[in-house]
Amino acid sequence: MPEKTLSTQIPFRYRNFDSPTGVTRETAKRLAERLGVDETQVIHLALHQLAIKILPQYEQDDGPLTAAQVRQIKKLAPTLKKKSVRSSLFEPETT
């Protein structure tokens, strides 16, 4: 097992009260008990959920398509007949 050094660790301090920016140790303990894991795992789970929510879950692409790429897509895409709407979800108003 690799030796833990100060460069791979960060200090973590619980808050004195629960808020949008932190939780108390009591809250962390309650979460750990409910999830069946230890407090460290609770922190990792929370960070993982935040990463999924905030960070892109896909590789960044090369940006917008070029005009040539758009033309090629239009050329390869099937053409569909244009259709008109013959009915409505709403009854026509009668006055």
Side-chain angles (χ1 to χ4, degrees):
M1 179 176 244
E3 182 181 326
K4 293 180 181 179
T5 64
L6 291 179
S7 64
T8 63
Q9 302 296 308
I10 61 168
F12 182 82
R13 291 177 198 84
Y14 288 103
R15 301 294 191 241
N16 292 327
F17 53 90
D18 290 337
S19 73
T21 60
V23 297
T24 63
R25 181 137 195 212
E26 181 60 31
T27 297
K29 286 180 179 181
R30 289 175 54 213
L31 284 167
E33 185 178 319
R34 173 64 75 80
L35 296 171
V37 298
D38 61 26
E39 290 175 63
T40 301
Q41 191 63 31
V42 167
I43 295 166
H44 283 289
L45 289 168
L47 288 172
H48 178 72
Q49 288 298 315
L50 186 61
I52 289 171
K53 182 178 177 182
I54 303 285
L55 301 175
Q57 300 300 304
Y58 50 86
E59 290 186 35
Q60 187 173 0
D61 62 22
D62 297 329
L65 297 175
T66 65
Q69 290 169 322
V70 172
R71 282 193 303 273
Q72 179 144 12
I73 290 169
K74 287 181 179 180
K75 181 180 173 184
L76 295 172
T79 55
L80 302 173
K81 290 185 203 176
K82 292 185 180 181
K83 296 182 180 182
S84 63
V85 177
R86 295 185 186 260
S87 64
S88 173
L89 294 174
F90 305 101
E91 294 293 324
E93 288 186 30
T94 56
T95 54

